[in-house]
Amino acid sequence: MTTKIFKITPEDTSNPAISEAAEILRAGGLVAFPTETVYGLGGDAADPSAAKKIYEAKGRPSDNPLIIHVVRPEDAERYAYTNDAYYRLAEAFMPGPLTVILPKKDTVPYETTGGLDTVAVRCPSHPLARALIHAADTAIAAPSANLSGSPSPSCGTHVIRDLWGRIDAIIDGGECEIGLESTIVQLKDREAVLLRPGAITADALSCVCEKVTVAPAVTELLKENERPLSPGMKYRHYAPKIPLVLLEGEEENVLHFLRRAQNAEKCTILCYYEELALLRNERLIDIGSEKDLAAQAHTLFAALRRADELDCDIIYAHLPPTEGLGLALYNRLIRAAAHTIVHV
Ligand code: TXA
Ligand code: MG
């Protein structure tokens, strides 16, 4: 299959490429598109065969449900049973990087929800994503547009590398602003359970929800045979091919450890901007300032992809803090590292 590539700027919402891509979606095809979080691999959410094609193109197990993308929060009514708590969250955070799990209606086939009776709804803020959903005139089911097991794509080039030849079209709108996938919450009475941390932090959620709890699988390893609240949690995600080890400890000890490692082994280091001058300039990848978690979120997945392309035996990175946006970085990195943490 040849894949059409439409390279357009994020503001160019009236570009004819949008209606061409929408036409492909309506005909049951697949289109990758940018969102403010990461790129999505889209298909018509109401079409069971589109969902099957998505799983196939990604090489993803078909029990891992897809998120459906709508233009306005109230568009969810067609696909899900909403409630007051949903609208309170929508008022505060939509359009934006938040996904809410709701009971599904019959309009969403089980192929899209991986057999679940619930559906994940998200209302993205990226202008091209919004224009595409609007033009397709249906909800778009979309997982992240990477091959299963590799980091989510935070720019068009990543999508082209992973999915060229496997899908009908790619809208390349450049870099995604946030760089990490959306926050996912499940609503239980007055409580919000955080299933996947993202740019909408637990603190931000607690301004709107009476109680916010973090699902254990966000920070911990699932026990054998344990069923996670979100099926995606059981997979080893974002995994570089080269082993990744996370370092925890005082900055001075971490630097000491890394300097010794640079002399002893062929390692790549995902370092803070402030450390660039303090380590030997060899296979160093700058992930942003230690104090700027948003910058780190923006570069993390690109950094993991780059590290994987370098000739080395091991990759080191800092274990992020678990506060604020740090929790999202922590969650992605412990999965990529398969929970390998060294205390120095
Ligand atoms: O930012 C994002 O959320 C991106 C962009 C494209 O919107 N999408 C994304 O999709 O990250 P994906 O498929 O890579 O991750 C969706 C996660 C999976 O872990 C899946 O298990 C979970 O959402 N999920 C989807 N539907 C669910 C449901 N009904 N109940 C629980 N978890 C669900
Ligand atoms: Mg994904």
Side-chain angles (χ1 to χ4, degrees):
M1 174 190 292
T2 41
T3 304
K4 278 196 176 171
I5 297 176
F6 304 113
K7 200 167 167 59
I8 52 184
T9 60
E11 303 75 33
D12 193 5
T13 52
S14 49
N15 193 299
I18 297 290
S19 30
E20 197 176 332
E23 200 50 56
I24 294 172
L25 289 171
R26 273 200 300 272
L30 302 187
V31 177
F33 61 98
T35 82
E36 70 279 22
T37 57
V38 297
Y39 275 73
L41 169 55
D44 181 348
D47 178 357
S49 71
K52 282 194 194 137
K53 283 192 210 165
I54 290 176
Y55 294 123
E56 232 176 75
K58 272 185 70 99
R60 171 181 191 153
S62 60
D63 68 340
N64 195 358
L66 307 174
I67 295 176
I68 72 164
H69 298 71
V70 295
V71 178
R72 297 166 311 160
E74 56 270 33
D75 296 341
E77 298 292 347
R78 220 172 118 194
Y79 306 97
Y81 295 96
T82 61
N83 52 39
D84 289 349
Y86 167 76
Y87 279 107
R88 274 200 301 276
L89 285 171
E91 176 80 20
F93 305 116
M94 291 184 191
L98 179 71
T99 298
V100 182
I101 311 289
L102 295 167
K104 83 171 199 68
K105 288 187 176 167
D106 289 342
T107 40
V108 186
Y110 282 109
E111 282 80 357
T112 302
T113 65
L116 297 178
D117 288 315
T118 51
V119 61
V121 179
R122 164 155 141 70
C123 174
S125 63
H126 194 292
L128 293 180
R130 297 177 64 74
L132 181 66
I133 308 164
H134 183 75
D137 196 25
T138 178
I140 299 182
S144 49
N146 52 291
L147 282 176
S148 193
S150 66
S152 290
S154 50
C155 67
T157 319
H158 298 162
V159 184
I160 295 170
R161 287 225 195 108
D162 276 16
L163 297 178
W164 199 89
R166 302 172 75 94
I167 60 175
D168 299 286
I170 297 170
I171 299 176
D172 181 349
E175 285 186 17
C176 301
E177 193 183 326
I178 295 170
L180 295 180
E181 309 88 337
S182 62
T183 302
I184 304 182
V185 297
Q186 179 138 44
L187 297 171
K188 272 203 321 203
D189 304 320
R190 317 226 82 194
E191 179 184 345
V193 184
L194 183 66
L195 302 186
R196 181 175 72 183
I200 307 292
T201 61
D203 285 346
L205 290 169
S206 44
C207 296
V208 179
C209 306
E210 260 171 44
K211 191 172 169 212
V212 178
T213 53
V214 179
V218 167
T219 51
E220 287 156 28
L221 208 51
L222 281 180
K223 294 179 195 75
E224 210 160 319
N225 297 327
E226 188 177 350
R227 260 187 66 217
L229 291 170
S230 180
M233 288 181 176
K234 72 179 176 218
Y235 300 108
R236 184 175 171 220
H237 260 180
Y238 329 112
K241 290 173 215 82
I242 300 160
L244 168 66
V245 172
L246 304 179
L247 304 175
E248 184 187 30
E250 295 290 324
E251 175 61 7
E252 226 158 274
N253 298 346
V254 172
L255 277 174
H256 181 69
F257 178 97
L258 289 174
R259 287 196 192 106
R260 283 179 57 162
Q262 283 195 308
N263 290 329
E265 53 191 353
K266 223 182 194 183
C267 60
T268 294
I269 301 171
L270 304 194
C271 68
Y272 297 136
Y273 171 77
E274 291 82 358
E275 293 169 329
L276 284 173
L278 305 173
L279 291 162
R280 195 165 71 229
N281 186 13
E282 198 178 356
R283 289 183 297 269
L284 286 187
I285 300 178
D286 169 17
I287 62 155
S289 168
E290 178 174 9
K291 291 174 218 86
D292 191 347
L293 295 174
Q296 293 176 37
H298 182 79
T299 42
L300 180 68
F301 286 149
L304 285 175
R305 281 179 183 255
R306 252 188 71 206
D308 228 10
E309 286 163 4
L310 295 178
D311 177 30
C312 68
D313 300 323
I314 190 160
I315 305 167
Y316 291 110
H318 292 269
L319 184 72
T322 52
E323 291 82 45
L325 184 57
L327 186 63
L329 287 159
Y330 181 97
N331 169 266
R332 305 315 190 270
L333 274 167
I334 54 170
R335 277 145 193 269
H339 291 263
T340 315
I341 299 169
V342 172
H343 304 267
V344 295

